[in-house]
Amino acid sequence: SAELAHAILDILMSEVLGYNLQYSPHVPASSIEVMYAMIGCKTWYNRESRGCDKRKQELHLAVESWHLSYPTTWEIIRQSYPAEVPLSVDMGYVGTTGQFVSASVVEAAENSRGLALDYYKSYNPKWHHAAE
């Protein structure tokens, strides 16, 4: 959904509003990276050293972020860099993260041979021997 929203905003900003858009060569892999990029950390894509000691804001807009899924990191950034924290607004919709497996796939798996992995203990070979 972020890629679609980004493409739509790209068209609106460049073709309708006439802005000359420039893109970072690094594409954020997660909302955490977006948070560090938005406050101007030089090497926001480097997990070991985000480069926040030499901040220069180069990323001015993030189209979709799930930063509220990381409340601890968000709060650390808010407290550490209060002047640089970006305005956080929604895009008109609220989303949640999760996994989905269709009923037909679940039914096919339940009707086949194999080991049910409904409980985490089934994964531990010390407690469960799948070969027996």
Side-chain angles (χ1 to χ4, degrees):
S1 61
E3 290 179 21
L4 177 61
H6 182 270
I8 293 169
L9 193 60
D10 184 303
I11 292 168
L12 291 174
M13 291 180 71
S14 61
E15 295 184 16
V16 176
L17 298 176
Y19 284 99
N20 181 15
L21 303 177
Q22 295 179 350
Y23 299 94
S24 171
H26 301 283
V27 177
S30 71
S31 294
I32 290 177
E33 288 187 356
V34 169
M35 286 187 260
Y36 285 106
M38 289 294 291
I39 63 169
C41 296
K42 188 75 174 161
T43 53
W44 51 265
Y45 46 86
N46 183 341
R47 290 183 183 188
E48 284 76 38
S49 177
R50 301 277 185 193
C52 296
D53 54 332
K54 299 176 183 175
R55 290 185 312 286
K56 180 183 177 190
Q57 189 176 11
E58 295 177 353
L59 179 66
H60 299 281
L61 179 67
V63 177
E64 187 173 285
S65 173
W66 296 86
H67 62 279
L68 297 179
S69 297
Y70 307 95
T72 304
T73 304
W74 179 243
E75 190 57 33
I76 289 169
I77 289 173
R78 284 188 52 218
Q79 290 180 7
S80 301
Y81 311 103
E84 291 95 348
V85 172
L87 175 65
S88 178
V89 296
D90 67 54
M91 293 180 58
Y93 59 88
V94 177
T96 57
T97 61
Q99 298 176 353
F100 173 77
V101 180
S102 67
S104 62
V105 172
V106 172
E107 186 178 341
E110 289 175 346
N111 292 329
S112 65
R113 292 182 58 208
L115 176 65
L117 298 176
D118 289 340
Y119 304 102
Y120 69 93
K121 289 182 179 181
S122 298
Y123 294 104
N124 191 334
K126 291 181 182 177
W127 296 345
H128 184 82
H129 302 285
E132 294 178 0

